[in-house]
Amino acid sequence: MEDEFSQDDLAALVASGFGSGHIDIQDHLDENEEESGDADDGLEGVDVDDVPQVEEKKPANQRQAMKKKRKKEEREKQRMNPVDELLDRKESVSEAATTSDKPSEAALVEQLLWKASYLQREDENTFQIPVGHVGKMRVPGRFFANATLLDQLVDEVGKSKGGFTAAIEQISNVATLPGIVGASLGMPDLHSGYGFAIGNIAAMDMADENAVVSPGGVGFDINCGVRLLRSNLTENDVFRVKDKLADALFSAVPVGVGSQSDWRLDKAEMDEMLKMGMEWTEKEGLSWPEDREVTEENGRFVNARPSKVSNRALSRGKTQLGTLGSGNHYVEVQIVDEVFDESAAKAMGLAKGTICVMIHTGSRGFGHQVCTDALAECEGAMRKHKIRVADRQLACVPIMSEEGKGYIAAMSCAANFAFCNRTLIVHQVREAFESVYKKTARELDMNVVYDVSHNIAKVEEHDVEGEKKKLLVHRKGATRSFGPGHPCLPEKYREIGQPVLIGGSMGSCSYVLTGTDKAMETTFGSTCHGAGRFMSRSKAMKCLDSKAVLRGLAKQNISIRVATKRLVAEEAPESYKDVSEVVDTCEAVGISRKCVRLKPLIVVKG
């Protein structure tokens, strides 16, 4: 993100020895390629090398020598590989917080809190935005960050252009919504989104007749989520046929913008699928009975009403069931390379060396259209219900109004579409493995470990100030993280807590976490969902060379198959935050625990 310091502030900061993150602010796009708005970042800022340097007056000959030296360094910089340059920048951003001693990290945070004086530090990784920062806040804002992540968030503030609102300000705006309880929450992977920040959580009191549901609190890719399969294969089993397996997966799973599947449902079949979710795939022989048992909501949102879905949404969705899409969606073959919690890993059938497949996708154009339709309806309904919001992107309606119930019914259809979409991709993945290894998926033990959503609104029961309340919990770019013993969890996971699947960026590691009691107490049973972008897609396209990125992945021995070559630059690892920092921060505040880490062997993307 770019700096928002004045020139004097920059000089003072350099003189005091503090670093500052210099990355692009994330587009206000949601988690896939079909989000509202265009893909331009629209924000250009101060580069690392443009920061004014504070130095004492030098004699003329010394100044001339230094000038020549700077020119030489600039010429060398221009010859740098773009990936190397970005890696240098990214490392410089985190150095102050990760490689320096503790006093330097503490001093960095102190400087950032001086800069954003309205922030209050509750503990090492928890920060509060007090009521009053934005007019008519009903609850405080609260977010979690380490020094590096805080640096990035604070630098966003004040960078307003092209409809962009910084994530911290979006948390504050969400705190003004009618019916919100507790706090407007931000996870460590927080970044700017549409209305709500991505990584934003808001719980609404169902007993409050004025409490609202906001489509922006779910996002355009409704029930975007992650599913993890395990197998009994070894690393050697994969490496001896790696390219063949990569080709088989790329051939089996339709990928890319506008990709279409071989499944064609008529109106009656479409309605049944939208209403029944994974019960439909099971009936059709496209999934195993045990798949549903380890899927959030058992693979079905029961409030789904196909009659509330527009013909336009049906038209967009009818050819996309069983397709991956584009953006940051992927199918990855991964290996467990580190185990942090042996007992939890054993309960999931995971161990060091286990070969897994991670699938990240959502409701495609169907969900996007459901959200688009709802936002249009909300704008008119807000006038009828006399609702005013801090940001028009926070369009909302009372939960129990006809419009509110209609959106939840249509959203539930999109959520069921996403469950079925991931299920059909699993079916295709199993077939690809069968074709390569000449064994059945059952023989390969290709069972689902778990499936989680990270763009959804759900009715749940939580404690609020010592009182049990029924809440509508919006999770946008956030994952449910229910603790041990929760009745909603599958019996085999009830002792360890809910599995939480955290996907990394292309070429980086991913994690399986477990939910905690602390999450139930402090975040309505929620944690992070991924890494969060480090720079915008358009900036990545300008700064990164796809061929160089591919060479970097090859050096890691990762096989990649991608439909659109330019996507490699957009989704390069250098474009994202460090997912390990995000996960470590979640563990530090107690809202999830690390179980295993996975590294990619094969990546398939649109």
Side-chain angles (χ1 to χ4, degrees):
M1 75 203 112
E2 290 81 16
D3 291 297
E4 64 165 342
F5 292 99
S6 69
Q7 293 301 306
D8 290 339
D9 288 335
L10 285 166
L13 185 59
V14 172
S16 63
F18 297 112
S20 178
H22 299 270
I23 64 171
D24 289 304
I25 295 173
Q26 156 68 359
D27 314 319
H28 61 254
L29 301 182
D30 208 341
E31 288 295 281
N32 75 342
E33 79 283 2
E34 295 182 303
E35 172 64 288
S36 175
D38 58 45
D40 287 332
D41 52 309
L43 286 165
E44 302 295 334
V46 181
D47 199 341
V48 174
D49 300 286
D50 295 329
V51 178
Q53 301 297 311
V54 178
E55 56 185 37
E56 59 182 301
K57 188 86 170 173
K58 298 282 194 295
N61 59 344
Q62 241 181 303
R63 291 200 303 272
Q64 188 175 5
M66 291 179 67
K67 187 175 180 182
K68 286 182 179 179
K69 182 180 177 183
R70 282 196 296 267
K71 284 186 177 180
K72 182 180 178 182
E73 289 172 347
E74 182 63 24
R75 286 194 301 269
E76 289 175 354
K77 177 191 164 190
Q78 290 171 0
R79 290 195 296 269
M80 286 179 71
N81 182 302
V83 176
D84 294 337
E85 182 179 349
L86 273 188
L87 281 170
D88 286 346
R89 287 192 192 183
K90 192 170 182 181
E91 287 167 4
S92 72
V93 170
S94 60
E95 249 178 24
T98 59
T99 63
S100 299
D101 57 17
K102 283 293 180 183
S104 293
E105 181 175 329
L108 173 60
V109 172
E110 185 178 340
Q111 174 71 22
L112 293 168
L113 293 177
W114 172 83
K115 182 181 175 186
S117 58
Y118 53 88
L119 292 180
Q120 298 174 358
R121 191 176 194 180
E122 296 185 357
D123 59 38
E124 184 176 359
N125 298 112
T126 307
F127 302 87
Q128 184 180 122
I129 308 165
V131 172
H133 174 60
V134 168
K136 299 184 179 180
M137 286 175 69
R138 301 166 191 266
V139 295
R142 183 173 292 115
F143 65 91
F144 309 108
N146 65 11
T148 304
L149 300 172
L150 178 65
D151 186 14
Q152 296 166 359
L153 289 170
V154 170
D155 272 354
E156 278 189 358
V157 179
K159 296 292 185 179
S160 181
K161 185 179 178 182
F164 172 83
T165 305
I168 286 177
E169 299 304 321
Q170 289 185 316
I171 289 177
S172 306
N173 290 340
V174 168
T176 68
L177 291 175
I180 189 169
V181 297
S184 172
L185 298 167
M187 298 296 102
D189 48 343
L190 187 71
H191 54 287
S192 180
Y194 184 91
F196 279 57
I198 297 167
N200 204 166
I201 298 153
M204 310 304 188
D205 186 354
M206 297 285 289
D208 183 344
E209 63 180 12
N210 296 313
V212 297
V213 58
S214 175
V218 173
F220 285 82
D221 192 8
I222 297 166
N223 191 8
C224 183
V226 182
R227 187 171 297 192
L228 185 69
L229 303 175
R230 68 168 189 262
S231 76
N232 56 20
L233 295 167
T234 67
E235 187 172 11
N236 285 338
D237 290 332
V238 172
F239 269 97
R240 64 184 175 82
V241 293
K242 192 166 68 162
D243 285 336
K244 184 178 180 180
L245 182 58
D247 290 339
L249 289 168
F250 191 61
S251 175
V253 182
V255 300
V257 178
S259 53
Q260 298 187 359
S261 75
D262 294 331
W263 280 281
R264 293 290 188 274
L265 308 185
D266 61 27
K267 179 65 165 59
E269 291 171 324
M270 189 80 166
D271 283 355
E272 185 182 8
M273 180 272 294
L274 295 175
K275 186 176 181 180
M276 303 304 293
M278 285 179 64
E279 292 179 24
W280 175 83
T281 63
E282 190 176 321
K283 180 181 77 107
E284 296 294 320
L286 298 169
S287 60
W288 300 350
E290 58 266 42
D291 291 349
R292 267 197 312 120
E293 296 172 8
V294 287
T295 300
E296 198 169 319
E297 299 297 316
N298 288 315
R300 181 191 178 194
F301 279 75
V302 296
N303 290 322
R305 300 290 182 272
S307 61
K308 298 298 182 180
V309 175
S310 71
N311 288 332
R312 173 62 177 150
L314 293 171
S315 176
R316 292 184 68 179
K318 68 181 181 181
T319 62
Q320 292 188 334
L321 195 62
T323 67
L324 189 66
S326 190
N328 61 357
H329 294 165
Y330 57 77
V331 173
E332 285 191 0
V333 179
Q334 304 172 334
I335 184 169
V336 176
D337 78 328
E338 188 165 357
V339 176
F340 305 98
D341 186 332
E342 294 279 357
S343 61
K346 184 177 180 181
M348 298 182 210
L350 302 176
K352 190 168 184 177
T354 301
I355 297 297
C356 298
V357 181
M358 183 174 280
I359 297 162
H360 175 212
T361 190
S363 51
R364 305 285 281 113
F366 181 87
H368 188 280
Q369 192 62 45
V370 167
C371 183
T372 300
D373 294 340
L375 288 169
E377 183 173 26
C378 282
E379 287 202 14
M382 284 169 64
R383 290 190 289 272
K384 182 176 81 173
H385 295 290
K386 298 179 180 178
I387 297 173
R388 300 184 69 178
V389 291
D391 178 353
R392 62 174 300 190
Q393 292 182 358
L394 292 176
C396 57
V397 288
I399 297 170
M400 301 310 296
S401 67
E402 287 304 309
E403 298 89 352
K405 290 186 285 188
Y407 167 68
I408 291 172
M411 179 206 71
S412 298
C413 287
N416 288 343
F417 183 103
F419 281 141
C420 292
N421 189 38
R422 290 196 286 276
T423 299
L424 292 187
I425 292 174
V426 166
H427 179 74
Q428 294 161 334
V429 166
R430 284 169 171 162
E431 288 186 331
F433 272 73
E434 288 176 338
S435 71
V436 171
Y437 290 102
K438 308 306 179 186
K439 292 182 178 181
T440 67
R442 289 283 189 187
E443 290 174 320
L444 295 170
D445 193 26
M446 296 193 71
N447 287 291
V448 175
V449 175
Y450 205 62
D451 180 294
V452 294
S453 168
H454 50 233
N455 277 358
I456 204 68
K458 296 167 63 178
V459 177
E460 298 171 357
E461 192 174 81
H462 291 276
D463 283 326
V464 180
E465 296 179 355
E467 181 182 353
K468 286 277 188 187
K469 284 184 174 288
K470 186 179 286 188
L471 308 174
L472 181 69
V473 182
H474 298 71
R475 293 188 183 95
K476 179 177 180 179
T479 309
R480 197 181 73 172
S481 183
F482 283 2
H486 199 285
C488 287
L489 300 182
E491 182 64 36
K492 67 179 188 176
Y493 295 147
R494 207 160 287 173
E495 186 176 335
I496 64 170
Q498 179 199 310
V500 178
L501 310 178
I502 306 298
S505 57
M506 182 177 64
S508 74
C509 61
S510 298
Y511 287 87
V512 178
L513 317 177
T514 51
T516 65
D517 291 333
K518 181 74 176 290
M520 302 303 297
E521 297 165 7
T522 59
T523 61
F524 305 107
S526 309
T527 190
C528 67
H529 86 301
R533 290 193 72 89
F534 180 76
M535 64 162 56
S536 69
R537 288 179 171 86
S538 59
K539 188 69 172 180
M541 289 290 293
K542 294 173 187 174
C543 296
L544 292 170
D545 174 66
S546 291
K547 291 181 180 178
V549 174
L550 287 169
R551 285 196 298 271
L553 293 172
K555 286 181 181 178
Q556 298 179 59
N557 217 5
I558 298 171
S559 293
I560 181 166
R561 300 294 184 272
V562 58
T564 309
K565 293 296 184 185
R566 67 179 179 85
L567 177 66
V568 175
E570 288 183 2
E571 294 298 316
E574 298 80 21
S575 300
Y576 283 83
K577 300 175 186 178
D578 185 340
V579 68
S580 296
E581 284 196 357
V582 171
V583 166
D584 287 344
T585 303
C586 289
E587 185 164 67
V589 298
I591 57 176
S592 50
R593 294 184 60 210
K594 289 190 291 187
C595 179
V596 304
R597 185 179 68 192
L598 307 103
K599 70 175 184 179
L601 304 176
I602 297 171
V603 179
V604 175
K605 293 181 70 72

